[in-house]
Amino acid sequence: MIEQLLNGEQNMKAAVFFPGIGYHCDKPLLYYSRKLAQECGYEETIALSYNYDGGNIRGNEEKMQQAFESLYEQAEKSLSAVDFDKYDEILFVAKSVGTIIASAYAEKHRQILYTPLKYTYNFAHREAIAFIGTSDPWSIVSEVQALSQKQQVPMYTYENANHSLETTDTLENLKILQDVMGKTKGFLERK
């Protein structure tokens, strides 16, 4: 490490955050995971922002595909200026439909998948971790769990939690958020 610093080398790390459609990067899961990434040495954090105005996509395969194509194109455009080659480590952190975009964008990077959708698993995951709630209306939870297990992606499941990993009990939500962030930090600290 000291030799690397003396030679001007350092382990450069970047984290890219892929939001959902209605769940932007300043909402709890992405906000706190961004803070954790910074604490764990990810010097550069890139919070993407994109939009889709095609209406409700839940349960509609055609609209989901249209949303994916639109959001992927926006993410690709935003990330085209990033020189990924200068980083020794790149982490993708994603929420909901953002998990599909992140997985399609670069299968080789480490990934944190908050409330992934079944389409997320159309892409291979080399090193990833996932979180889902049993009351997530965007997924058939058992199906997503099976897909995650098939790819050997550890998935943590939260009873009665929705697509935001929240329940009707605010104090329970804070416990869930703390647990999710604890597991997120553990994943970030593993090499």
Side-chain angles (χ1 to χ4, degrees), residues 132-136 141 145 157-162:
I132 198 165
T134 60
S135 296
D136 188 334
V141 176
Q145 289 170 320
T157 305
Y158 296 87
E159 285 299 315
N160 303 314
N162 64 19

Side-chain angles (χ1 to χ4, degrees), residues 3 8 15 21 27 41 44 46 51 64 80 105 160 167 169 180:
E3 187 177 304
I21 291 176
K27 289 211 173 185
E44 185 161 356
I46 303 162
N51 59 59
M64 180 65 79
S80 66
Y105 191 79
N160 303 314
T167 68
D169 182 333
V180 170

Side-chain angles (χ1 to χ4, degrees), residues 4 7 17 29 49 63 73 76 92 102 125 179 181 190:
Q4 286 178 319
N7 292 329
F17 294 80
L29 294 169
S49 176
K63 281 192 172 187
E73 184 179 313
E76 194 172 43
F92 283 4
H125 296 88
D179 188 72
M181 290 304 123
R190 282 198 310 259

Side-chain angles (χ1 to χ4, degrees), residues 47-94:
L48 296 180
S49 176
Y50 35 68
N51 59 59
Y52 178 72
D53 56 8
N56 187 0
I57 63 173
R58 185 170 53 185
N60 185 322
E61 298 281 331
E62 185 179 326
K63 281 192 172 187
M64 180 65 79
Q65 183 63 36
Q66 290 170 355
F68 166 75
E69 289 170 7
S70 173
L71 299 175
Y72 184 86
E73 184 179 313
Q74 292 173 59
E76 194 172 43
K77 185 176 180 184
S78 294
L79 293 172
S80 66
V82 177
D83 179 10
F84 285 109
D85 291 335
K86 75 178 183 181
Y87 299 105
D88 300 300
E89 187 176 325
I90 299 165
L91 170 73
F92 283 4
V93 181

Side-chain angles (χ1 to χ4, degrees), residues 120-137:
T120 304
Y121 296 94
N122 289 345
F123 307 94
H125 296 88
R126 182 179 62 88
E127 186 180 357
I129 187 173
F131 301 85
I132 198 165
T134 60
S135 296
D136 188 334

